[in-house]
Amino acid sequence: MAKGSVTPGSVIGVLISGRGSNLQSLIDAQSAGEMPARIAVVVSNRADAPGLDLARAGGIEAVVVSPRDFSDRDGFDRAIAGALMDRGVTLVCLAGFMRVVGRPLLEAFPDAILNIHPSLLPAFPGVDAQAQALNHGVKVSGATVHLVNGELDAGPIVAQAAVLVNEDDTPELLARRILVEEHRLYPLAVRIVLAGGWRVDGRRFVRGPGFTA
Ligand code: GRF
């Protein structure tokens, strides 16, 4: 059984690939004093990710680590892990990071990597989760924050939020409503993890007694 070791005063590193609206929600939560942690660095695998500018505007160091600069995936993962460890990061938040997290990064941050996904996992992992939900005909979808393990969108679930599916929804409309919930959910999940005292029991993430909403 794994025990949560990330505690208040933690240093957060955020990994992005694009827009960065979830990154912004974490920056806003930090600015509002709602997250007992400091975002020290934002790392993107793409130099053109708009989220890099959001980081800089928030006074946060923005770093690009491009997979093109490495001959294999492990090298890329090690470079990201190194960039995070150099800055004292203790909790990693994936926020629209469109790369599978490999072993070197997982081993550098055991039970200390979070991801946000736009569906109620375990339904609809992978890309285009909102379109998958519509095509399946579910009446409720939502967002999930989970610990990252070696499998795609499959780690222990920290927090979820439900969103009703409308009869006339499109993937874009549904994505927009889910995103509103994502922006509330991610800072909440980070606070749950930072409160400490949690444990992973099989598939279950069990909250610590110290967390108050
Ligand atoms: C979000 O929907 C997130 O759940 C998914 O990718 C999207 C990223 O959006 N993993 P943003 O870059 O945070 O705006």
Side-chain angles (χ1 to χ4, degrees):
M1 192 186 296
K3 280 221 165 86
S5 56
V6 189
T7 47
S10 289
V11 179
I12 294 177
V14 183
L15 304 191
I16 63 166
S17 298
R19 182 175 56 184
S21 71
N22 278 290
L23 163 66
Q24 188 64 54
S25 77
L26 295 174
I27 295 173
D28 290 346
Q30 176 183 269
S31 304
E34 290 166 1
M35 239 171 34
R38 176 175 66 89
I39 304 171
V41 64
V42 172
V43 181
S44 172
N45 62 313
R46 297 183 53 129
D48 61 353
L52 289 167
D53 289 331
L54 298 177
R56 294 185 192 109
I60 298 164
E61 184 183 7
V63 175
V64 176
V65 180
S66 171
R68 291 198 202 123
D69 295 336
F70 302 89
S71 56
D72 60 5
R73 208 182 92 178
D74 276 8
F76 170 71
D77 267 80
R78 272 195 296 272
I80 292 191
L84 295 169
M85 288 189 296
D86 284 352
R87 290 156 181 91
V89 167
T90 51
L91 176 65
V92 183
C93 294
L94 311 187
F97 184 62
M98 301 300 285
R99 305 272 310 187
V100 175
V101 173
R103 190 151 299 282
L105 195 46
L106 285 170
E107 285 174 357
F109 295 95
D111 276 330
I113 306 178
L114 292 174
N115 181 45
I116 186 155
H117 183 78
S119 75
L120 291 177
L121 291 170
F124 316 126
V127 294
D128 297 329
Q130 303 92 340
Q132 289 187 57
L134 284 183
N135 292 338
H136 194 93
V138 294
K139 305 303 182 197
V140 182
S141 191
T144 302
V145 176
H146 62 93
L147 289 174
V148 174
N149 60 13
E151 296 157 55
L152 182 68
D153 298 328
I157 291 168
V158 177
Q160 290 186 303
V163 172
L164 294 178
V165 177
N166 295 334
E167 288 300 312
D168 55 355
D169 255 337
T170 63
E172 293 71 29
L173 287 172
L174 180 58
R176 204 178 300 167
R177 295 202 312 286
I178 291 176
L179 203 57
V180 172
E181 291 303 313
E182 290 185 42
H183 294 162
R184 190 185 58 78
L185 191 69
Y186 214 170
L188 171 69
V190 168
R191 284 197 288 122
I192 290 171
V193 168
L194 292 179
W198 50 268
R199 66 183 200 278
V200 175
D201 187 359
R203 275 219 43 85
R204 291 178 62 217
F205 175 98
V206 183
R207 270 186 198 179
F211 177 77
T212 45

